[in-house]
Amino acid sequence: MSEDRYTTSQTLLMRAKNPDDHQAWEDFVEFYRRFIYHILHKMSISLNDFDDLVQVVLLRLWESLKNYEKQDCKFRSWLSQVTRNTVLNYLDKQQRQNKRQDQMGEYQDMQLKVNSYGDGELERMIENEWRAYVSTMALENIKKLFSGVAVEAFLMSQKEVPGDKIAEELGIKKESAYVLISRVKSKFVAEMKRLIHEMEI
């Protein structure tokens, strides 16, 4: 995803709603494919069905995105509903098409797992995973701006490792460790805000 497209003043979701903006849809897929893959993993979907189901969910999102309105609900609430319903429909279809008892049982088990999530529970799970996902992306985006030592110092600080221990582990002065952590944290927070603004609506 190129920087000039990514930093557009319009959010990606609003652009992706335009059927003529093919680049926006490609960017949308590039960003959300991995996230959807992660959510399906949390739903305990069989690896044999992952690739097909990711494509089905993305197709359903593309078909439904034009009807999404921000004032009706948060995007992730809408995303959780579309994903859950698409997964259940897919599993039901696979169960009907596969006559082997072991395959039918496998799809029934996956259906039970997905159905075990209430709307609120699924939305909370997606909310938590979304924050983790955006956090990971933000860190990946800023890594190129800093030395490996600076990034490692920041990561250790996020695990609540004391500053003197960080300095000792990395072979730097304690004051330097704090400066590096502060610099990386500042860029990380700014990148998180940028991603949230561009991607969340």
Side-chain angles (χ1 to χ4, degrees):
M1 189 179 297
S2 68
E3 191 71 15
D4 57 340
R5 294 201 308 268
Y6 196 62
T7 54
T8 177
S9 59
Q10 291 181 291
T11 63
L12 178 58
L13 293 177
M14 292 302 293
R15 289 176 53 226
K17 291 179 69 173
N18 179 359
D20 296 322
D21 194 337
H22 302 296
Q23 188 60 64
W25 177 249
E26 289 182 14
D27 290 347
F28 180 94
V29 170
E30 182 180 342
F31 187 84
Y32 284 101
R33 180 191 298 277
R34 287 179 294 165
F35 181 63
I36 292 169
Y37 192 97
H38 192 59
I39 292 301
L40 296 182
H41 177 71
K42 285 286 184 177
M43 289 180 172
S44 299
I45 299 300
S46 167
L47 289 176
N48 294 330
D49 296 279
F50 257 64
D51 291 337
D52 287 345
L53 195 42
V54 168
Q55 294 300 324
V56 171
V57 170
L58 284 169
L59 177 60
R60 183 58 182 150
L61 288 172
W62 179 75
E63 292 171 342
S64 305
L65 191 58
K66 61 181 178 293
N67 298 319
Y68 168 72
E69 296 295 339
K70 179 180 178 180
Q71 62 267 26
D72 294 337
C73 65
K74 289 197 308 182
F75 176 72
R76 286 187 305 285
S77 299
W78 178 81
L79 176 67
S80 68
Q81 278 300 114
V82 172
T83 301
R84 181 175 183 271
N85 292 340
T86 303
V87 168
L88 287 173
N89 288 339
Y90 174 89
L91 294 177
D92 182 63
K93 180 180 179 181
Q94 293 300 111
Q95 186 178 335
R96 285 185 278 105
Q97 289 181 345
N98 288 277
K99 303 303 182 183
R100 282 174 47 187
Q101 193 63 39
D102 59 336
Q103 289 180 324
M104 291 175 64
E106 182 181 359
Y107 286 116
Q108 286 175 340
D109 290 343
M110 283 189 280
Q111 280 181 315
L112 289 173
K113 176 65 176 179
V114 176
N115 274 319
S116 70
Y117 287 104
D119 290 343
E121 184 182 359
L122 180 61
E123 189 175 338
R124 283 191 296 273
M125 183 267 280
I126 286 182
E127 181 76 22
N128 291 336
E129 294 304 321
W130 173 262
R131 292 295 172 181
Y133 183 67
V134 173
S135 177
T136 298
M137 177 167 280
L139 183 61
E140 288 299 316
N141 288 350
I142 68 168
K143 274 184 176 180
K144 60 182 178 290
L145 303 176
F146 299 97
S147 68
V149 171
V151 173
E152 186 61 29
F154 173 71
L155 292 175
M156 292 175 71
S157 73
Q158 295 302 292
K159 297 176 182 177
E160 300 184 355
V161 178
D164 54 352
K165 183 67 174 176
I166 294 174
E168 180 183 346
E169 288 283 332
L170 299 178
I172 58 177
K173 294 181 179 179
K174 184 177 179 179
E175 294 77 11
S176 298
Y178 284 124
V179 169
L180 292 176
I181 291 168
S182 178
R183 288 175 178 171
V184 176
K185 182 178 180 180
S186 178
K187 287 291 186 181
F188 175 76
V189 170
E191 182 65 6
M192 281 284 291
K193 289 179 178 178
R194 185 180 77 86
L195 287 172
I196 290 170
H197 172 72
E198 287 297 322
M199 309 308 297
E200 288 195 353
I201 282 193

